Amino acid sequence: MSDLEKDPAEVVSTGDGEGPVVELLEGREVVLGRSTKVRRLLPNKNRRMVGAWCFVDHYGPDDITHRVDSYDVPGERGMLVPPHPHTSLQTVSWLFEGEIEHRDSVGSHAYVRPGELNIMTAGNGIAHSEVSTPTAPPTLHGAQLWVALPDSVRSTTPAAFDAYADLPELELDGARVTVMVGTVAGVTSPAPAYTPLVGADVTVQPGRTLTLPLTPSNEYAVLIVDGSLTVGDLTPGFGEMVYVGAGRESVDVVASDNGVRFLLLGGEPFEEQLVMWWNFIGRSHEEIVAARDAWQAAIGAGGNDRFPMVPGYDGDPLPAPGLPAIALKPRPRAR
Ligand code: MN
């Protein structure tokens, strides 16, 4: 009898023949809106997407108890992102700590809270605001993610903010997994997706090794939000992301002595080329110009058909920056 099945190969495809893909994606610091300092992990220089995940901002934990009317110190005043537009994408809001008030141009008014998945489908166009209210808890820590919509649905009617408060959880190898979207170890989230997509919030106890089952047709990355872990020959820590590629039946992650909490993000590689500029996604330079023109006109007119104003938001919307001098080009998911 062969004992091969006791220890199945972890990696099916490596891409370069030199072992499994384990690639560190370094974040860069960006100030979002007027107040929140974030680490932007996607788009990354060489890897713009993981599945349909095309934008990953990780922020906090920030002590926002110094909130005052002026938001002049990034990272200390909580979130104050005035109304701004989106096209051809879904926003996915996920908090580890704190609370954010959301309003949008289809009339949604909601609070984003830890453990609850909030999805906004921009489709042809939507505008929203995100604010730390005076009654929000003192610490803000979360992730703002975008999912690119495939061509067949990207110009759909914008949808009201959807909350999924009761997400499935499972226990694996000393780990607790909340399935935000898609399927992990046979457990599936009720949240809808337009392409094969996975998102999960995973906490692994100190020193434990988690063998995380994966779907070989998906590519994956992990974003560390607390503690650190070892995967392959890398030991990413807080705020770092590691791409682990596609073709795996599973991946082993070893929690540090302090444990680890990470987001697992994955999905079927997204083959459509995107033009991403500011808060817009399109397929051509002309589409981005049209979206920008419509937004600027909406600001001047107090809203228009494509971008109505955000009801209930007290303040001015965010104007779009100027377009670059050269035409924007569609880009593939990886360089
Ligand atoms: Mn937004």
Side-chain angles (χ1 to χ4, degrees), residues 85 87 280 286-296 306-307:
T87 57
F280 301 124
E286 291 70 27
E287 281 186 16
I288 300 294
V289 171
R292 183 184 181 282
D293 286 350
W295 174 247
Q296 293 301 97
R306 188 165 187 189
F307 297 112

Side-chain angles (χ1 to χ4, degrees), residues 32 55 81-86 89 91 93 102 120 126-130 144 146 279:
L32 185 71
F55 184 93
V81 186
H84 60 280
H86 289 297
L89 61 88
T91 62
S93 305
H102 163 98
M120 182 183 77
I126 201 167
H128 72 144
S129 61
E130 298 152 294
Q144 182 66 33
W146 297 356
N279 290 303

Side-chain angles (χ1 to χ4, degrees), residues 33-220:
R34 284 166 53 193
S35 58
T36 304
K37 224 185 321 185
V38 305
R39 290 167 295 284
R40 182 154 302 160
L41 286 312
L42 290 181
N44 208 280
K45 197 169 58 164
N46 296 318
R47 192 163 295 288
R48 298 186 180 89
M49 305 180 74
V50 176
W53 301 104
C54 61
F55 184 93
V56 175
D57 272 357
H58 175 213
Y59 53 88
D62 290 327
D63 177 352
I64 61 168
T65 51
H66 304 296
R67 270 167 308 202
V68 289
D69 288 339
S70 83
Y71 286 77
D72 53 343
V73 183
E76 289 190 5
R77 305 299 190 211
M79 192 168 282
L80 177 59
V81 186
H84 60 280
H86 289 297
T87 57
S88 296
L89 61 88
Q90 293 179 299
T91 62
V92 174
S93 305
W94 186 253
L95 285 182
F96 307 106
E97 282 185 275
E99 180 184 271
I100 290 170
E101 181 187 44
H102 163 98
R103 294 177 189 272
D104 65 42
S105 54
V106 301
S108 315
H109 178 215
Y111 292 88
V112 180
R113 295 186 172 118
E116 301 180 3
L117 187 75
N118 287 270
I119 300 181
M120 182 183 77
T121 303
N124 187 52
I126 201 167
H128 72 144
S129 61
E130 298 152 294
V131 172
S132 295
T133 65
T135 56
T139 303
L140 180 64
H141 183 197
Q144 182 66 33
L145 314 166
W146 297 356
V147 175
L149 290 171
D151 195 49
S152 55
V153 295
R154 71 190 181 88
S155 301
T156 186
T157 306
F161 205 51
D162 259 336
Y164 297 86
D166 197 17
L167 296 168
E169 298 196 347
L170 63 139
E171 306 270 348
L172 279 175
D173 301 340
R176 186 164 191 81
V177 181
T178 301
V179 186
M180 298 154 60
V181 58
T183 300
V184 176
V187 175
T188 300
S189 162
Y194 292 94
T195 55
L197 196 68
V198 179
D201 185 337
V202 183
T203 300
V204 190
Q205 289 166 18
R208 295 289 297 266
T209 298
L210 167 65
T211 299
L212 194 57
L214 303 178
T215 301
S217 54
N218 288 344
E219 59 180 347
Y220 292 90

